[in-house]
Amino acid sequence: MKKIISVSEAAKLIKSNSSVMIGGFLRCGTPVKIIDELINNKTGNLTLIANDTSYPDYDRGKLIVNKLVKKVIAAHIGTNPETGRQMHAGELEVQLVPMGTLVERIRSAGAGLGGFLTPTGIGTVVEEGKETIEIDGKKYLLEKPLKADVAIVYATKADKFGNAFLDGTTRNFNIVMATAAETVILEADEICDEPLNPAEVTIPGLFIDYIAV
């Protein structure tokens, strides 16, 4: 069985200056309780890897508002004006990555790959500083894997072995992020006494280090 810990204990596993992947797409499928505890602990200088920076008053967005993040690697930041304000003020480094590229960089890290080739970004600012490779007359960017010290992921329910079920669109970035961090913490709405039916398992327990309740 996986180590079941409190939300407070889970947050203490995440240290200042860490790189942290946080699952979710805007308000959907986010580990909100652990995020709130990070804010209570004032865990700062974080590198946040996420699809987005949510809204100013919700989950990842509150980390930005409380100035606990030094760098953001995300696909978009438009729903959180504070992210843009801090970026333009020189208070926050923001690296925007095309969403498909972001997902594939994370997946590559989880799969142990050295990177992948994509035409996305050729001829734009995305290409700057990156290696390009030509294959059959077509130009590609070499995008490198993206991993983190810690991933915090969400599940609708999980069993005590860490097997997790994510309902519908809550799956979003949670599944791939669970494969690409040194330590993976799962925040589940419900912990089941009995093992999940294998047909329900969205994230296998082998990827989960801790279950926060």
Side-chain angles (χ1 to χ4, degrees):
M1 290 194 292
K2 298 298 176 181
K3 187 172 183 181
I4 297 177
I5 58 177
S6 68
V7 169
S8 176
E9 288 172 317
K12 289 177 182 176
L13 293 172
I14 303 163
K15 307 300 182 183
S16 293
N17 301 299
S18 297
S19 56
V20 184
M21 289 181 178
I22 301 182
F25 193 115
L26 297 178
R27 294 174 184 254
C28 180
T30 56
V32 293
K33 294 176 183 176
I34 297 176
I35 292 171
D36 284 343
E37 198 64 26
L38 287 175
I39 294 168
N40 290 337
N41 294 345
K42 295 182 170 58
T43 306
N45 288 318
L46 299 173
T47 295
L48 171 63
I49 301 167
N51 174 66
D52 54 77
T53 55
S54 192
Y55 301 92
D57 60 345
Y58 203 78
D59 60 75
R60 302 176 300 284
K62 292 194 290 185
L63 292 172
I64 301 293
V65 169
N66 283 274
K67 296 189 175 181
L68 297 175
V69 178
K70 65 179 179 182
K71 180 178 180 179
V72 169
I73 302 173
H76 71 87
I77 59 172
T79 53
N80 190 339
E82 181 62 14
T83 308
R85 189 202 68 76
Q86 290 184 25
M87 177 181 69
H88 289 298
E91 300 168 3
L92 175 68
E93 181 184 350
V94 175
Q95 184 182 119
L96 290 173
V97 182
M99 192 179 298
T101 299
L102 181 62
V103 174
E104 190 65 7
R105 287 183 66 191
I106 296 169
R107 192 194 72 81
S108 292
L113 302 179
F116 66 98
L117 299 176
T118 176
T120 302
I122 289 290
T124 74
V125 294
V126 175
E127 184 179 345
E128 293 177 6
K130 295 180 181 175
E131 183 179 350
T132 59
I133 296 173
E134 189 171 309
I135 299 176
D136 295 333
K138 190 170 183 179
K139 194 175 178 182
Y140 297 87
L141 293 181
L142 172 62
E143 292 284 359
K144 295 181 180 179
L146 182 61
K147 60 183 179 181
D149 298 320
V150 183
I152 317 170
V153 296
Y154 164 87
T156 309
K157 64 181 179 180
D159 61 27
K160 293 178 180 178
F161 299 95
N163 298 305
F165 167 71
L166 287 78
D167 190 27
T169 54
T170 65
R171 299 181 179 197
N172 52 65
F173 275 72
N174 286 292
I175 298 173
V176 69
M177 285 181 172
T179 71
E182 294 296 325
T183 301
V184 181
I185 304 169
L186 174 72
E187 179 184 305
D189 286 342
E190 177 187 354
I191 305 295
C192 305
D193 290 327
E194 296 297 321
L196 289 186
N197 183 321
E200 287 187 292
V201 175
T202 315
I203 301 175
L206 65 91
F207 291 112
I208 305 301
D209 297 301
Y210 298 94
I211 304 170
V213 297

